[in-house]
Amino acid sequence: MKKLALLICLGTFSNLLYGQQNVSFREGAIVSPQVNEDCSVTFRVKAPYAESVSVHGDWAAGNGVGQMALDADSVWTYTTPALPSEMYTYRIVIDGVAGLDPTNPFTKRDVGFVSSVFFVSGGCADYYQVHDVPHGSVSTVWYPSEQLGMSRRMSIYTPPMYGQEKERAYPVLYLLHGSGGDENAWVELGNVARIMDNLIAEGKAEPMIVVMPNGNPGKQAAPGETSENLSYKPALTNLLPGSYKNGRYEMAFPEIVGFVDRNYRTIPDKAHRALAGLSMGGFHTLYIAANYPGWFDYMGLFSAGLDMTNVDTAQPAYQNLDGKLKILQHEGYKLFWIAIGNEDFLYKANRDFLKRLDSLEFGYEYHESARGHLWANWRQYLLQFAPRLFK
Amino acid sequence: MKKLALLICLGTFSNLLYGQQNVSFREGAIVSPQVNEDCSVTFRVKAPYAESVSVHGDWAAGNGVGQMALDADSVWTYTTPALPSEMYTYRIVIDGVAGLDPTNPFTKRDVGFVSSVFFVSGGCADYYQVHDVPHGSVSTVWYPSEQLGMSRRMSIYTPPMYGQEKERAYPVLYLLHGSGGDENAWVELGNVARIMDNLIAEGKAEPMIVVMPNGNPGKQAAPGETSENLSYKPALTNLLPGSYKNGRYEMAFPEIVGFVDRNYRTIPDKAHRALAGLSMGGFHTLYIAANYPGWFDYMGLFSAGLDMTNVDTAQPAYQNLDGKLKILQHEGYKLFWIAIGNEDFLYKANRDFLKRLDSLEFGYEYHESARGHLWANWRQYLLQFAPRLFK
């Protein structure tokens, strides 16, 4: 009876019908992934009838691909080389069908891909994991946008002391996602709450509020969180009506700042506001900052979408960028931080933009990392950028 | 170049290496699941090298199992009978390996199982989806537990007007998860925010705060959200040290109520507090209510774990239940609501408990539904219970 209860308690009766190997919390289950002491990682999948099984992940070694080998127990196995500390996502491809690692219950969604996830500790990934330090809160919050004509959703991190020190006001970092992302992206893939909790606990970053809005102005919220429900599939922003490079999001941005200043204990001035974004969010950061000089003392462009060839300069938001940058320069700011990976498809666009800034004598700091257009870089950029703020 | 950008913008470069059929947001992709006009549902999976493909879900028809048939394009297909309105989870089993539906980007985790998800509208599932109504907020919040000796995480829903009507105070529903669940379970699988938003918008439920604590007293938070990080795998509560039926959670419960009353605009009295839980959370509800008479006017036991044969009645929390129920009866309450499915493995235990209440002349309302120990029932119970509160 006890065993029966154990089985049925799973909640979904028909789970009983699933393959036993998928029950990661039962004894005797296959262990996968297994992060080894030397920082290599072993994957194991039981697939007795498969002809070919491989693992595809976002690490650099072997381009992230590993062909798995079959052992005598019908378990396919592959071990990576030692991997640098990071959060990694991966999928298992069995006879041409890509899916999760059946024994790993932890997943992340990136645009339309759901992947399995693991951490290699001992470096930057230590900041992406939970430690016994005071924890902040993450909330999903809806704000009314008059300019975009709808309620819109954002994620807001408040630091650990926000709930206790109730008279204290905080600076705010506005943190923007890329094409295909949404208000969940920095929380889920960026591990923002862990990064901020850990940096604050070590005294490396000032306690701050982090606001992560939805950057698709034609949409209210992430896929599954709007009244379209599951018929709105995750998609790149250029496929979302009314969302792509039309300047509406950038021009409406003060609504978000106003809502946050009205509803949270912020220090509502330029010296206590930062704005940063990845990819499309870096493009947004540039144009929000350019159109609203005097609003932000700190700006961060992470692998920014600075390919200007397809920007409609007839849009008010995008008109006369050089002139707007001159005004921004005149207003003054403390940090304009640009980071890009040397394998990023936007590398040349970013280097060209630096020349443009040089010609304007517009001050910036430039950080060049390895690798490409990856969440690994964006987490690491945040880890470098956040400690620079509000000091 | 534009196409290259489109591909690379996905964020994870190695996603390019995955099977094309998994890219649900690209044109020409396979559509699965497809909810048909007659409420049947069609699943399609491209698996050219498979020998056997089936779908396993939590609907009743055919016990939730469908053998898929191969068509000329290497696509396996199966169509269910017409399904009642609900949120359904399912997995695809290809040659014995269970996984997600490759073309469905929407997933839910239940204990250690990650499944694909869809809705059949036209009934109760309309409450589980997002509509154009005012939306409340959901926050993850950490509270200090002196009695359990740790910071612990909970999820808190605040109703849509909470942010605007800043002088108004609200009643609170404390909503508890089952064995294997955590503070995310009611949010993710229970769709609490949508249910409450929709009931409040229709005027069917009073605006209320819903507090969803973690019911495993040996743990701080859900798997992946503690300092054990991914080494703490989802598990049934009886496998979590210090968590199973030891009375510690029940006795420490006033800490949660105190934290909520101090940090939220609540109406801090019995008439404005409700307590309900599913399965193990129903057991918790019974014993919290019994040990703290005068705290809650409304109690709900959803498929409650009322098998008393393995309860250690030497524990203070579990001593003298009949005597405690007499006191609870004397203190008075407005609703003691018990619901169970007639196929639930806990059906007999619940019916036996009703007899015990009858012998005590302890008043209750009893609701018997179809089916078993399922989230479908727990969502529907909440849909019936929440409108009864605070009126």
PDB file of all heavy atoms in Angstrom, chain A residues 299-313:
ATOM      1  N   MET A 299      25.156  53.004 -18.713  1.00  0.00           N
ATOM      2  CA  MET A 299      24.556  52.281 -19.830  1.00  0.00           C
ATOM      3  C   MET A 299      25.429  51.101 -20.214  1.00  0.00           C
ATOM      4  O   MET A 299      26.664  51.209 -20.194  1.00  0.00           O
ATOM      5  CB  MET A 299      24.372  53.229 -21.025  1.00  0.00           C
ATOM      6  CG  MET A 299      23.225  54.212 -20.791  1.00  0.00           C
ATOM      7  SD  MET A 299      23.480  55.843 -21.529  1.00  0.00           S
ATOM      8  CE  MET A 299      24.685  56.547 -20.416  1.00  0.00           C
ATOM      9  N   GLY A 300      24.786  49.974 -20.542  1.00  0.00           N
ATOM     10  CA  GLY A 300      25.530  48.783 -20.924  1.00  0.00           C
ATOM     11  C   GLY A 300      24.975  48.189 -22.207  1.00  0.00           C
ATOM     12  O   GLY A 300      23.770  47.939 -22.312  1.00  0.00           O
ATOM     13  N   LEU A 301      25.862  47.972 -23.197  1.00  0.00           N
ATOM     14  CA  LEU A 301      25.464  47.349 -24.459  1.00  0.00           C
ATOM     15  C   LEU A 301      26.145  45.985 -24.529  1.00  0.00           C
ATOM     16  O   LEU A 301      27.354  45.904 -24.724  1.00  0.00           O
ATOM     17  CB  LEU A 301      25.865  48.231 -25.650  1.00  0.00           C
ATOM     18  CG  LEU A 301      24.936  49.398 -26.022  1.00  0.00           C
ATOM     19  CD1 LEU A 301      24.811  50.416 -24.905  1.00  0.00           C
ATOM     20  CD2 LEU A 301      25.401  50.074 -27.304  1.00  0.00           C
ATOM     21  N   PHE A 302      25.361  44.927 -24.348  1.00  0.00           N
ATOM     22  CA  PHE A 302      25.903  43.554 -24.305  1.00  0.00           C
ATOM     23  C   PHE A 302      25.634  42.898 -25.662  1.00  0.00           C
ATOM     24  O   PHE A 302      24.485  42.613 -26.001  1.00  0.00           O
ATOM     25  CB  PHE A 302      25.200  42.723 -23.229  1.00  0.00           C
ATOM     26  CG  PHE A 302      25.276  43.250 -21.809  1.00  0.00           C
ATOM     27  CD1 PHE A 302      24.529  42.617 -20.809  1.00  0.00           C
ATOM     28  CD2 PHE A 302      26.071  44.337 -21.444  1.00  0.00           C
ATOM     29  CE1 PHE A 302      24.576  43.062 -19.499  1.00  0.00           C
ATOM     30  CE2 PHE A 302      26.114  44.794 -20.126  1.00  0.00           C
ATOM     31  CZ  PHE A 302      25.361  44.155 -19.153  1.00  0.00           C
ATOM     32  N   SER A 303      26.676  42.653 -26.440  1.00  0.00           N
ATOM     33  CA  SER A 303      26.510  42.030 -27.775  1.00  0.00           C
ATOM     34  C   SER A 303      25.386  42.721 -28.543  1.00  0.00           C
ATOM     35  O   SER A 303      24.511  42.081 -29.126  1.00  0.00           O
ATOM     36  CB  SER A 303      26.183  40.533 -27.655  1.00  0.00           C
ATOM     37  OG  SER A 303      26.995  39.885 -26.713  1.00  0.00           O
ATOM     38  N   ALA A 304      25.446  44.034 -28.518  1.00  0.00           N
ATOM     39  CA  ALA A 304      24.307  44.834 -28.991  1.00  0.00           C
ATOM     40  C   ALA A 304      24.046  44.677 -30.488  1.00  0.00           C
ATOM     41  O   ALA A 304      24.982  44.531 -31.282  1.00  0.00           O
ATOM     42  CB  ALA A 304      24.538  46.304 -28.651  1.00  0.00           C
ATOM     43  N   GLY A 305      22.778  44.726 -30.846  1.00  0.00           N
ATOM     44  CA  GLY A 305      22.359  44.633 -32.238  1.00  0.00           C
ATOM     45  C   GLY A 305      22.586  45.959 -32.943  1.00  0.00           C
ATOM     46  O   GLY A 305      21.639  46.684 -33.224  1.00  0.00           O
ATOM     47  N   LEU A 306      23.855  46.250 -33.254  1.00  0.00           N
ATOM     48  CA  LEU A 306      24.230  47.571 -33.769  1.00  0.00           C
ATOM     49  C   LEU A 306      24.416  47.563 -35.280  1.00  0.00           C
ATOM     50  O   LEU A 306      25.087  48.437 -35.826  1.00  0.00           O
ATOM     51  CB  LEU A 306      25.494  48.070 -33.069  1.00  0.00           C
ATOM     52  CG  LEU A 306      25.335  48.290 -31.553  1.00  0.00           C
ATOM     53  CD1 LEU A 306      26.662  48.709 -30.934  1.00  0.00           C
ATOM     54  CD2 LEU A 306      24.255  49.330 -31.267  1.00  0.00           C
ATOM     55  N   ASP A 307      23.825  46.583 -35.946  1.00  0.00           N
ATOM     56  CA  ASP A 307      23.805  46.611 -37.408  1.00  0.00           C
ATOM     57  C   ASP A 307      22.785  47.659 -37.831  1.00  0.00           C
ATOM     58  O   ASP A 307      21.571  47.451 -37.734  1.00  0.00           O
ATOM     59  CB  ASP A 307      23.416  45.228 -37.943  1.00  0.00           C
ATOM     60  CG  ASP A 307      23.279  45.234 -39.457  1.00  0.00           C
ATOM     61  OD1 ASP A 307      23.552  46.286 -40.081  1.00  0.00           O
ATOM     62  OD2 ASP A 307      22.895  44.190 -40.003  1.00  0.00           O
ATOM     63  N   MET A 308      23.276  48.818 -38.302  1.00  0.00           N
ATOM     64  CA  MET A 308      22.404  49.963 -38.565  1.00  0.00           C
ATOM     65  C   MET A 308      21.829  49.962 -39.979  1.00  0.00           C
ATOM     66  O   MET A 308      21.093  50.875 -40.330  1.00  0.00           O
ATOM     67  CB  MET A 308      23.191  51.254 -38.343  1.00  0.00           C
ATOM     68  CG  MET A 308      23.717  51.399 -36.919  1.00  0.00           C
ATOM     69  SD  MET A 308      22.377  51.311 -35.679  1.00  0.00           S
ATOM     70  CE  MET A 308      23.247  51.817 -34.191  1.00  0.00           C
ATOM     71  N   THR A 309      22.159  48.923 -40.764  1.00  0.00           N
ATOM     72  CA  THR A 309      21.747  48.955 -42.168  1.00  0.00           C
ATOM     73  C   THR A 309      20.239  48.840 -42.339  1.00  0.00           C
ATOM     74  O   THR A 309      19.692  49.312 -43.316  1.00  0.00           O
ATOM     75  CB  THR A 309      22.419  47.809 -42.961  1.00  0.00           C
ATOM     76  OG1 THR A 309      22.152  46.581 -42.274  1.00  0.00           O
ATOM     77  CG2 THR A 309      23.911  48.028 -43.069  1.00  0.00           C
ATOM     78  N   ASN A 310      19.559  48.222 -41.386  1.00  0.00           N
ATOM     79  CA  ASN A 310      18.115  48.054 -41.544  1.00  0.00           C
ATOM     80  C   ASN A 310      17.316  48.904 -40.547  1.00  0.00           C
ATOM     81  O   ASN A 310      16.207  48.565 -40.185  1.00  0.00           O
ATOM     82  CB  ASN A 310      17.722  46.572 -41.414  1.00  0.00           C
ATOM     83  CG  ASN A 310      18.213  45.996 -40.090  1.00  0.00           C
ATOM     84  OD1 ASN A 310      18.923  46.660 -39.337  1.00  0.00           O
ATOM     85  ND2 ASN A 310      17.823  44.766 -39.806  1.00  0.00           N
ATOM     86  N   VAL A 311      17.916  50.028 -40.129  1.00  0.00           N
ATOM     87  CA  VAL A 311      17.216  50.920 -39.197  1.00  0.00           C
ATOM     88  C   VAL A 311      16.542  52.033 -39.993  1.00  0.00           C
ATOM     89  O   VAL A 311      17.183  52.700 -40.808  1.00  0.00           O
ATOM     90  CB  VAL A 311      18.206  51.523 -38.173  1.00  0.00           C
ATOM     91  CG1 VAL A 311      17.499  52.549 -37.297  1.00  0.00           C
ATOM     92  CG2 VAL A 311      18.819  50.416 -37.334  1.00  0.00           C
ATOM     93  N   ASP A 312      15.257  52.219 -39.766  1.00  0.00           N
ATOM     94  CA  ASP A 312      14.474  53.231 -40.483  1.00  0.00           C
ATOM     95  C   ASP A 312      14.682  54.590 -39.816  1.00  0.00           C
ATOM     96  O   ASP A 312      14.024  54.931 -38.834  1.00  0.00           O
ATOM     97  CB  ASP A 312      12.998  52.830 -40.446  1.00  0.00           C
ATOM     98  CG  ASP A 312      12.103  53.892 -41.070  1.00  0.00           C
ATOM     99  OD1 ASP A 312      12.648  54.861 -41.652  1.00  0.00           O
ATOM    100  OD2 ASP A 312      10.873  53.742 -40.968  1.00  0.00           O
ATOM    101  N   THR A 313      15.612  55.369 -40.364  1.00  0.00           N
ATOM    102  CA  THR A 313      15.975  56.639 -39.721  1.00  0.00           C
ATOM    103  C   THR A 313      14.911  57.709 -39.921  1.00  0.00           C
ATOM    104  O   THR A 313      15.075  58.838 -39.463  1.00  0.00           O
ATOM    105  CB  THR A 313      17.332  57.152 -40.239  1.00  0.00           C
ATOM    106  OG1 THR A 313      17.283  57.204 -41.659  1.00  0.00           O
ATOM    107  CG2 THR A 313      18.463  56.237 -39.784  1.00  0.00           C
TER     108      THR A 313
END
